[in-house]
Amino acid sequence: MTPDSLIATMVVVGGLGLLFAIAARNTRRQINTTFARRKNLEQSEFLALMYNDCAPEAAEFLWETTKFYLAPRLTPHPDDDLFRDLPIDDEDWSIDWPRDFARQYGFSESDLPEWPKEQPVTIRNYGRWLSTGIR
């Protein structure tokens, strides 16, 4: 490896390290902000709140799926806004989650209607929307 390529490699690795550090800091901030404004729910509390609004399958899917992103500091809450409150990439919940849910429950993700643009993307609303595929 030449000295120039070694320097270039070090700059790239340093830049990637800086990007990861900034992303980790931003994620911690977002989690801390959400944690400060509401209590963490136990799984049974979350499911009880969600069962009033959506299919149990959707509630359970959303608990497991969002918990993966938030644990151990934060647990999901039905009123969390996926776009503003949680450190979850919008491509995950807008593309991956509908596909994963549809596969898990044996329907085509194309059976889901368009997301109502005027509706906030809360976990509760998302559960209602997912439920339309299995009802």
Side-chain angles (χ1 to χ4, degrees):
M1 189 179 272
T2 67
D4 287 341
S5 64
L6 181 60
I7 290 170
T9 300
M10 289 172 54
V11 167
V12 168
V13 169
L16 288 174
L18 180 62
L19 288 175
F20 283 119
I22 290 169
R25 182 200 67 199
N26 291 344
T27 296
R28 257 189 328 277
R29 261 190 207 161
Q30 193 170 26
I31 285 175
N32 289 339
T33 299
T34 300
F35 183 74
R37 77 167 172 74
R38 55 114 171 132
K39 84 173 220 172
N40 268 340
L41 300 176
E42 296 292 325
Q43 180 177 6
S44 59
E45 294 172 301
F46 174 85
L47 294 175
L49 290 170
M50 291 292 288
Y51 287 168
N52 293 328
D53 294 298
C54 67
E57 297 88 347
E60 292 160 13
F61 173 84
L62 288 170
W63 171 265
E64 291 301 322
T65 304
T66 55
K67 188 179 70 167
F68 171 80
Y69 293 88
L70 306 176
R73 176 98 166 104
L74 196 63
T75 62
H77 188 284
D79 297 327
D80 286 339
D81 187 301
L82 289 167
F83 187 70
R84 290 191 265 285
D85 297 331
L86 304 177
I88 302 172
D89 184 29
D90 65 341
E91 288 184 7
D92 290 352
W93 53 261
S94 66
I95 297 171
D96 296 342
W97 294 6
R99 181 192 61 230
D100 295 345
F101 184 75
R103 284 182 185 159
Q104 188 171 340
Y105 291 101
F107 67 92
S108 171
E109 69 183 288
S110 64
D111 292 341
L112 291 167
E114 282 288 317
W115 180 264
K117 300 292 185 213
E118 69 285 347
Q119 191 172 54
V121 189
T122 64
I123 291 178
R124 184 183 316 276
N125 290 339
Y126 201 87
R128 286 180 188 130
W129 179 73
L130 286 177
S131 295
T132 64
I134 57 174
R135 287 190 176 174

